[in-house]
Amino acid sequence: MRVGTARRYLMCPPRYFTVRYMINSWMDPTRPVDTARAMAQWTALADTYRALGHTVEVVDPEPGLPDMVFAANAGTVIDGVVLGARFRHAERAAEAEHYRRWFLAHGAPDVVMPSAVNEGAGDLVWTGTLLLAGSGFRTEPAAHAEAQELFGVPVISLRLVDPYYYHLDTCLLVLDDSRCAPLVAYYPAAFSPGSRRVLARLFPDAVIAGPADAACLGLNGVSDGHSVVLPREAVQLGRALAVRGFEPVFVDVSELRRAGGGPKCCTLELRA
Ligand code: ARG
């Protein structure tokens, strides 16, 4: 029996969401985006979390920052310690300061800002015992070392090699972050050969996702240890999770995916 635990999430409504620049392979600025539809999908996602018993904190979006909806990139929060973000691309750079101010105004006594490129929980994924850290497209390896020094937790660097899976949370999902039994799902082809071997060693009973689940950003899910919120196209992954005792909860994120995001990208877990 899997038991979920109540979580606290930070989200940002996609009021100014659009795709007008291209900083990942999913984004096509020539195809118009339906912002109202993105808002409806985001609202349904937030309501899904609330219905599961989680708390949703909301940060005000800023005009001119269309990707601010992807709150996972705002920073990394473990045991109440906040490491802020430093974005790779100029188009998102200003988000870091807006999020820093939100953290300071909402009970974080201190927010450490990184000196290396660090796209927050998009690339720094906490398993409950280890901090898995992606590099290759966005976050720099130097940021992994900064995170290890600040949090005092073991950091495992993993190298991403497929531009469609440019953040670690697009190809790896933590299902169970309880300290005794961390369990993950991932898409091996998104990782360098050496990183694949590291994952196989650390997580011998991981759920291995196939290309169809990866291609709908199915691994960009959010688990509370029991319920796993997934894009509705991730049907095979949903079945595999049900076999392992999890409950898949499907949401429609089709409009947000046009910027390369899914449920997890829209969600930053605030770990007390
Ligand atoms: N358009 C955004 C970018 O390329 C999407 C960010 C998705 N966030 C994530 N945590 N994977 O930066």
Side-chain angles (χ1 to χ4, degrees), residues 23-24 27 67 70 72-73 92 119 122 138 166-167 169-170 220 259-261 264-265:
I23 57 170
N24 70 51
M27 301 174 89
D67 274 335
F70 300 116
N73 301 121
R92 297 195 67 186
E119 298 206 352
R138 301 293 181 87
Y166 55 95
H167 278 137
D169 70 356
T170 61
N220 199 252
K264 165 67 170 62
C265 298

Side-chain angles (χ1 to χ4, degrees), residues 24-234:
N24 70 51
S25 304
W26 299 84
M27 301 174 89
D28 178 359
T30 66
R31 285 185 57 213
V33 161
D34 186 339
T35 303
R37 191 153 178 255
M39 268 301 273
Q41 291 175 352
W42 180 90
T43 302
L45 176 63
D47 287 344
T48 300
Y49 290 141
R50 292 188 190 102
L52 291 170
H54 306 310
T55 304
V56 177
E57 309 277 355
V58 176
V59 58
D60 281 333
E62 285 290 324
L65 294 174
D67 274 335
M68 202 172 159
V69 59
F70 300 116
N73 301 121
T76 309
V77 187
I78 302 173
D79 287 343
V81 177
V82 183
L83 176 59
R86 177 181 291 264
F87 286 86
R88 160 90 49 190
H89 298 101
E91 291 88 340
R92 297 195 67 186
E95 293 180 36
E97 178 58 19
H98 290 297
Y99 276 109
R100 187 183 75 92
R101 281 199 222 124
W102 187 91
F103 291 125
L104 288 174
H106 292 83
D110 194 22
V111 178
V112 176
M113 295 308 280
S115 47
V117 172
N118 182 328
E119 298 206 352
D123 273 323
L124 299 178
V125 176
W126 179 236
T127 69
T129 51
L130 300 172
L131 189 60
L132 305 180
S135 71
F137 296 98
R138 301 293 181 87
T139 298
E140 294 175 321
H144 302 177
E146 281 184 87
Q148 173 159 293
E149 206 50 41
L150 177 68
F151 294 117
V153 299
V155 170
I156 304 287
S157 290
L158 300 167
R159 198 151 60 80
L160 304 171
V161 296
D162 181 330
Y164 279 94
Y165 307 107
Y166 55 95
H167 278 137
L168 182 59
D169 70 356
T170 61
C171 50
L172 184 142
L173 159 57
V174 175
L175 297 164
D176 187 338
D177 62 2
S178 57
R179 270 159 219 272
C180 43
L183 180 64
V184 304
Y186 66 95
Y187 178 53
F191 295 88
S192 70
S195 296
R196 256 181 257 165
R197 289 166 60 207
V198 169
L199 288 168
R201 265 174 202 270
L202 286 175
F203 307 108
D205 39 60
V207 174
I208 302 298
D213 287 319
C216 62
L217 289 178
L219 289 156
N220 199 252
V222 178
S223 176
D224 65 11
H226 171 262
S227 301
V228 188
V229 178
L230 295 175
R232 66 171 185 199
E233 296 85 354

